[in-house]
Amino acid sequence: MRKQVKNNVSWIGYLDWDLQKFHGDDFTIHSGSSQNAYLIEEEKIVLMDTVWAPHQFEFIKNLESEIDLNKIDYIVVNHGENDHSGSLPALMEKIPDTPIYCTANAVKSLEGQYGKRGWNFHVVHTGDTLDIGNGKKLIFVEMTFLHWPDSMATYLTGDNILFSMDAFGQHYAVEEMFADKADQETLWNEAQRYFANIVAPFSPLVIKKVKEIAALNLPIDMIAPSHGAIWRKEPMKIVEAYAKWADAYQENQITIVYGTEWHGTEKIAHAIADEIHRQSPETVVRVFNVDHTEKDDIIGEVFKSKAIAVGSPTILNGILASVAGFLYYLKSLKFKGKKAAVFGCYGWSGEGNKVLREKLTDAGFEVVKPEVKSSWNPEEDDFAKIPDVVKELTGGEEAGTASEAEVSLPKWQCPCGYIYDPAKGDPENGVKPGTTWEDVPDDWTCPVCGLPKESFVQIGG
Ligand code: FEO
């Protein structure tokens, strides 16, 4: 069965309602997906892409029920990855001489996967055109590294449709095939999750490509990606979203990711979440045990965040394997402009925070200095360090009135020169930030010289 897209353009792909995992088991699918192939029937008949190999026979049977395969004049392969080319070998058995239009890298990809079968390749470059009759033509646009070196988009004049391949897609099955018919929250969440996990590493190229497409001055009435819904109403909205997402995107959100053995590191994670809310109630907080949540879902939240906190207990002089695996994946996505903090418990040697710090720095995060490193279970003096950590992550924006009140509190100076600032407290010695001088315990002593509290004199306020 085909679904009409516009005029003589039909969708003839596979709606994958039951898909649970993608890229092997690497990417989690929550709302189905689709592999979108398109049929263009002008004076010439064009098949644009195919579907994943497991659905090849169903795809070809469906195609045959709609059209005599021998009437297909051209096949366009926008991308060689198996989810779009997997039906090609079986199809080409039936129509072996049909010309295939694709990039030079796609030839390498297809021959690499399926062997040299003598297919009739026609290599195209950006700006090349193919006349398909009725006054219409295809214009090819190389999309190198969006997301593979072979990726390409194809533009159909007259109908003004950009077949964008993986770019602008979502893993989301929509029966009507149009974005305006989809649940908008799911649609945009899935489009962003797709960007964060698949497109983000190539963000600089996205910005360049969006400009390049704009410079072609082609009217775009519709964007038809290779996964998920087709953007029919206001198609440039997803292009604008890509431009925004590719530019070190962040919202007022902080995400906490942790692994835990005996729940000590977990307690710190929860306490950090509480403190973020206390200091900055408008900041969205997300908390994930890395062992209980799919990594691509966590990444979707990290992508939106201005900062993250990552925790692991020390184990075997390092960190938990699950946290290490997550950080390895995080690094590959090349996020920019985000802060990070580290935390964790240890029993003996305590290298965990150091390793977290190194790995996050390596992943391109600005790791803040304050941290929580708790010997055995976290105690009051460990929790007392959290406000400083959070202050760094939120950019020092304490919750309105409380923060202002703290700033105006008087400071007290020790004869040795040390100044007690109530806004900072003395967390190292169990005095939380925000503790007024009156509330500092009587047995507290100067952290520099050890003089008692009564030796201090007021110097401000
Ligand atoms: Fe949807 Fe890169 O394949």
Side-chain angles (χ1 to χ4, degrees):
M1 195 189 94
R2 69 169 78 193
K3 296 173 194 284
Q4 202 212 10
V5 174
K6 185 179 182 184
N7 297 328
N8 297 327
V9 180
S10 310
W11 175 91
I12 191 118
Y14 187 84
L15 263 172
D16 220 335
W17 294 105
D18 292 330
L19 193 67
Q20 303 285 311
K21 294 283 184 179
F22 188 73
H23 282 165
D25 283 341
D26 205 45
F27 189 92
T28 312
I29 305 288
H30 295 301
S31 305
S33 187
S34 64
Q35 298 120 48
N36 300 340
Y38 299 95
L39 201 54
I40 305 171
E41 295 166 279
E42 299 295 348
E43 285 176 53
K44 299 290 185 184
I45 295 178
V46 181
L47 174 67
M48 181 94 57
D49 300 307
T50 69
V51 306
W52 191 21
H55 312 306
Q56 59 185 318
F57 300 118
E58 198 173 337
F59 169 72
I60 291 172
K61 193 172 160 201
N62 187 29
L63 196 57
E64 282 177 320
S65 74
E66 296 290 344
I67 191 169
D68 176 353
L69 297 186
N70 290 303
K71 291 194 170 162
I72 296 174
D73 294 289
Y74 311 122
I75 295 172
V76 172
V77 172
N78 283 311
H79 176 30
E81 195 164 4
N82 194 272
D83 50 331
H84 308 294
S85 70
S87 304
L88 209 50
L91 180 65
M92 296 308 285
E93 290 287 322
K94 291 176 179 279
I95 47 171
D97 300 324
T98 311
I100 297 173
Y101 288 76
C102 63
T103 63
N105 277 331
V107 175
K108 283 186 198 168
S109 167
L110 295 172
E111 290 190 338
Q113 293 176 83
Y114 310 120
K116 291 183 191 272
R117 298 181 180 222
W119 291 345
N120 181 11
F121 288 116
H122 289 246
V123 169
V124 295
H125 301 95
T126 294
D128 287 353
T129 61
L130 179 63
D131 197 322
I132 58 171
N134 296 333
K136 296 182 183 178
K137 61 184 179 182
L138 300 178
I139 302 175
F140 303 107
V141 182
E142 289 167 278
M143 302 278 274
T144 312
F145 281 111
L146 292 177
H147 67 125
W148 269 19
D150 69 319
S151 298
M152 176 176 89
T154 300
Y155 178 80
L156 171 61
T157 65
D159 293 315
N160 303 339
I161 302 174
L162 180 69
F163 298 93
S164 59
M165 184 32 63
D166 286 323
F168 311 127
Q170 334 90 46
H171 282 305
Y172 181 22
V174 179
E175 178 62 40
E176 298 90 343
M177 287 313 304
F178 290 110
D180 52 281
K181 294 286 186 184
D183 175 82
Q184 293 303 296
E185 191 177 350
T186 308
L187 172 79
W188 282 97
N189 280 345
E190 289 298 341
Q192 192 181 64
R193 197 166 71 95
Y194 189 95
F195 184 96
N197 281 278
I198 294 172
V199 184
F202 311 106
S203 288
L205 296 172
V206 172
I207 293 169
K208 199 170 149 220
K209 190 52 65 178
V210 165
K211 284 181 185 161
E212 194 182 309
I213 290 172
L216 291 173
N217 278 325
L218 300 170
I220 295 176
D221 293 345
M222 207 178 268
I223 293 179
S226 294
H227 296 290
I230 297 166
W231 305 91
R232 170 173 67 173
K233 287 190 177 162
E234 300 180 283
M236 294 313 283
K237 260 187 159 179
I238 185 64
V239 180
E240 287 157 16
Y242 262 49
K244 197 166 68 173
W245 294 340
D247 189 17
Y249 183 73
Q250 55 179 245
E251 298 174 11
N252 187 7
Q253 176 170 324
I254 297 178
T255 298
I256 300 164
V257 186
Y258 69 95
T260 196
E261 285 186 282
W262 303 108
H263 303 288
T265 301
E266 180 180 74
K267 283 179 190 156
I268 302 171
H270 294 176
I272 292 174
D274 281 348
E275 181 62 19
I276 294 168
H277 183 66
R278 189 194 72 79
Q279 286 194 24
S280 182
E282 68 280 7
T283 300
V284 174
V285 186
R286 295 279 183 264
V287 183
F288 298 102
N289 180 323
V290 78
D291 291 305
H292 298 164
T293 316
E294 299 291 348
K295 68 179 185 316
D296 34 88
D297 288 331
I298 302 175
I299 286 298
E301 297 301 324
V302 169
F303 176 72
K304 288 190 278 184
S305 299
K306 61 182 180 181
I308 63 173
V310 181
S312 171
T314 296
I315 178 168
L316 299 173
N317 308 111
I319 57 176
L320 286 171
S322 55
V323 179
F326 172 76
L327 291 175
Y328 181 87
Y329 182 50
L330 182 63
K331 182 187 172 188
S332 73
L333 298 171
K334 301 187 170 83
F335 292 158
K336 299 266 187 299
K338 298 183 193 296
K339 288 184 178 180
V342 302
F343 61 95
C345 294
Y346 68 99
W348 307 106
S349 54
E351 295 93 338
N353 278 17
K354 182 171 169 282
V355 174
L356 289 172
R357 195 172 278 284
E358 286 167 359
K359 290 194 178 296
L360 281 162
T361 303
D362 204 25
F365 285 73
E366 180 197 335
V367 186
V368 301
K369 199 171 171 192
E371 62 179 28
V372 185
K373 183 177 172 184
S374 172
S375 170
W376 301 103
N377 280 319
E379 303 290 350
E380 272 307 303
D381 56 339
D382 300 306
F383 291 121
K385 290 171 184 154
I386 290 175
D388 264 4
V389 172
V390 169
K391 198 171 176 186
E392 288 284 341
L393 293 183
T394 58
E397 294 161 10
E398 291 268 355
T401 52
S403 173
E404 283 154 23
E406 283 162 11
V407 167
S408 65
L409 289 173
K411 296 174 184 169
W412 292 72
Q413 188 168 27
C414 178
C416 77
Y418 168 81
I419 294 171
Y420 176 80
D421 180 351
K424 293 179 182 167
D426 179 19
E428 295 285 335
N429 293 297
V431 182
K432 289 182 183 177
T435 305
T436 62
W437 182 248
E438 289 69 28
D439 289 332
V440 173
D442 288 337
D443 60 354
W444 177 84
T445 57
C446 173
V448 175
C449 68
L451 279 174
K453 191 179 168 187
E454 60 263 31
S455 308
F456 282 60
V457 293
Q458 186 176 329
I459 60 166

